[in-house]
Amino acid sequence: MSQTGKAAIWKGRYNIEIQELPIPEVREDGLLLKVEAAGICGTDGHLIQDNPPYPAIMCHEVTGTIVSMGSKANKSLNVFGGPLSEGDRIVLYPWITCGKCAGCLSSRPGTCTVCDNSFVYGVPYSKLGLEGKETISSNISNWPYFMGGFAEYVYVFPETYVWKVPDSMPSDIAVLLDPMAVAMRALELTLTGPGIMEAGLTTDSRVVIIGSGQVGVLSALLARLMGARQVIMIGSRETRLRLTKEIAASDHIIDYHQYSRQERIDKVRDLTSGGADVVIQCSNNVDTFVDGLEMMRRMGTFVEVGNMVNQGREVSFDPARLVCSKHARILGMSANHPAAFNKAFGILERHEALGLEKMFTHKTNLQGLLETLKKMNDHDYLKGIVHP
């Protein structure tokens, strides 16, 4: 192994420099990955438009091969499918939580966004918008230097949840774990228990997905796999809508830009015989929150996934008509947990039958990363992947 490795350093707004960083010595409770695939998340597209608190490496969707491993790593890591050995491939759950704060103690182990002392691979803590303190700095000046996926290596800290990737699963598929898990959690939230009157996801459900980005496409796929009677996608960009049809077999595709707001609402009501049982809002657009409530039937379930980064933007609506009169079940989503990731991993194991390789419309290396990030709003972009 060489003494240094390349990394794409985020230094400022649309400013990335390729640098050599020292390869860290592995401590007894950690391991070092040689990155094989790094997924470009919408979060990376938002981060690159801003300045970092210090030079850092972005990317939290990481799959790689273990090249060096501490003697106690199998005990310090939370391993699905283990034990691990050098040469194994793994994919990461990006959050490390403390397990001791009030948020952790009242939630499932590893639940993200509730911990006051968490670390996220590829995202400096101050950019998370959470209270609490930075337990591990993502500053590239600090050991172990490689703490994000847009690099040749990533250091894996103790208490990280990881999945051992089988030989039958390409790294390009394994790296879809994070967006698939977000979609999985959104679908989990639509489920209800026996005797609950409010509409949840069943084999008789009419489901509307708003937003044809990567999470929207995967949510449509999961709704289909979980037995929904009807799946309707509302989105934009020809490539994304085509892939929604190919990957998720959506029953109806509504191009956001070909219809007026009222026409979209009326079309959904017509297709669903009065309104959707379940609406999952995956678009980064605050106005579509109200659109979704209009499209949902009485006693329906609404899950808001897409507006995590739109803090400060407001919409106005009639809560008496759209919430109380409809007896709406509205669920916001930010917290996720390793159990949902494990369910998502099970879906990835069926990748050949599902055509998940079609998700990647743009592939690049570290040198082409910045240009690919700039293409995220192009009409033919769905998801990018980096092979360092």
Side-chain angles (χ1 to χ4, degrees):
M1 187 185 303
S2 63
Q3 299 302 308
T4 62
K6 290 183 173 63
I9 310 301
W10 174 35
K11 290 196 165 185
R13 185 176 186 273
Y14 288 107
N15 182 3
I16 286 179
E17 293 183 10
I18 308 301
Q19 294 184 9
E20 295 277 347
L21 299 177
I23 294 176
E25 182 178 347
V26 174
R27 294 177 179 174
E28 64 178 5
D29 56 2
L31 58 82
L32 187 68
L33 281 188
K34 177 77 171 177
V35 178
E36 293 192 358
I40 299 177
C41 176
T43 299
D44 300 313
H46 290 289
L47 288 176
I48 196 60
Q49 299 175 52
D50 199 359
N51 291 307
Y54 38 67
I57 304 169
M58 295 190 296
C59 180
H60 57 275
E61 301 177 6
V62 188
T63 301
T65 299
I66 301 171
V67 293
S68 183
M69 183 173 169
S71 60
K72 297 181 180 179
N74 272 309
K75 292 183 178 180
S76 65
L77 299 173
N78 303 301
V79 183
F80 288 83
L84 299 174
S85 303
E86 290 184 7
D88 287 340
R89 287 182 303 140
I90 60 173
V91 59
L92 310 182
Y93 176 71
W95 292 72
I96 301 176
T97 59
C98 73
K100 298 177 174 60
C101 68
C104 284
L105 291 174
S106 61
S107 305
R108 290 189 185 194
T111 300
C112 68
T113 75
V114 301
C115 178
D116 293 333
N117 310 293
S118 54
F119 166 78
V120 183
Y121 291 92
V123 185
Y125 190 86
S126 63
K127 296 299 180 181
L128 296 173
L130 303 175
E131 297 182 0
K133 62 182 180 180
E134 183 174 73
T135 55
I136 301 173
S137 173
S138 297
N139 193 325
I140 61 164
S141 300
N142 300 328
W143 180 94
Y145 322 113
F146 292 92
M147 290 167 279
F150 293 149
E152 290 186 323
Y153 298 93
V154 166
Y155 190 90
V156 180
F157 294 99
E159 298 304 325
T160 302
Y161 287 84
V162 304
W163 283 258
K164 189 174 180 178
V165 179
D167 293 340
S168 59
M169 184 185 296
S171 293
D172 285 17
I173 296 297
V175 84
L176 286 171
L177 179 61
D178 187 89
M180 182 67 83
V182 174
M184 178 62 72
R185 182 59 181 149
L187 269 295
E188 278 188 340
L189 291 174
T190 69
L191 301 175
T192 57
I196 299 297
M197 296 189 300
E198 293 77 16
L201 183 66
T202 71
T203 54
D204 194 42
S205 295
R206 301 176 188 271
V207 179
V208 168
I209 310 293
I210 303 176
S212 52
Q214 53 189 281
V215 172
V217 172
L218 294 174
S219 295
L221 169 63
L222 290 179
R224 172 64 67 207
L225 292 176
M226 294 170 74
R229 175 180 181 179
Q230 183 184 49
V231 179
I232 300 170
M233 167 61 76
I234 302 172
S236 62
R237 307 186 200 179
E238 181 180 350
T239 297
R240 291 182 173 191
L241 297 179
R242 174 178 56 81
L243 290 173
T244 299
K245 188 71 173 179
E246 292 179 7
I247 295 172
S250 299
D251 298 289
H252 301 281
I253 305 288
I254 300 175
D255 192 322
Y256 185 90
H257 296 296
Q258 288 188 359
Y259 299 89
S260 69
R261 177 177 182 268
Q262 191 58 52
E263 286 173 337
R264 294 193 301 270
I265 293 169
D266 291 343
K267 192 170 182 63
V268 168
R269 288 174 177 170
D270 181 60
L271 290 170
T272 58
S273 301
D277 301 288
V278 173
V279 176
I280 302 176
Q281 201 304 103
C282 303
S283 171
N284 181 30
N285 181 343
V286 295
D287 294 327
T288 52
F289 173 81
V290 184
D291 293 355
L293 291 177
E294 293 278 7
M295 295 169 183
M296 187 181 68
R297 75 166 177 85
R298 289 182 180 177
M299 300 187 75
T301 292
F302 183 101
V303 180
E304 173 58 57
V305 183
N307 279 300
M308 270 290 292
V309 297
N310 279 327
Q311 295 183 19
R313 294 188 61 190
E314 299 178 354
V315 292
S316 60
F317 63 98
D318 183 349
R321 182 175 68 86
L322 293 177
V323 180
C324 291
S325 293
K326 284 197 171 189
H327 190 95
R329 181 171 173 255
I330 302 173
L331 299 163
M333 180 188 149
S334 60
N336 209 338
H337 54 89
F341 273 66
N342 195 46
K343 293 176 184 177
F345 193 80
I347 300 296
L348 297 182
E349 289 181 313
R350 304 183 228 169
H351 64 93
E352 290 185 1
L354 300 176
L356 293 176
E357 71 282 351
K358 297 178 182 178
M359 290 289 296
F360 297 108
T361 54
H362 289 65
K363 298 184 178 183
T364 187
N365 54 22
L366 293 179
Q367 287 72 21
L369 171 61
L370 182 58
E371 288 306 309
T372 303
L373 288 170
K374 292 178 179 178
K375 294 178 180 178
M376 292 182 73
N377 290 321
D378 287 0
H379 72 280
D380 62 343
Y381 185 96
L382 175 60
K383 185 169 182 62
I385 188 169
V386 178
H387 299 117

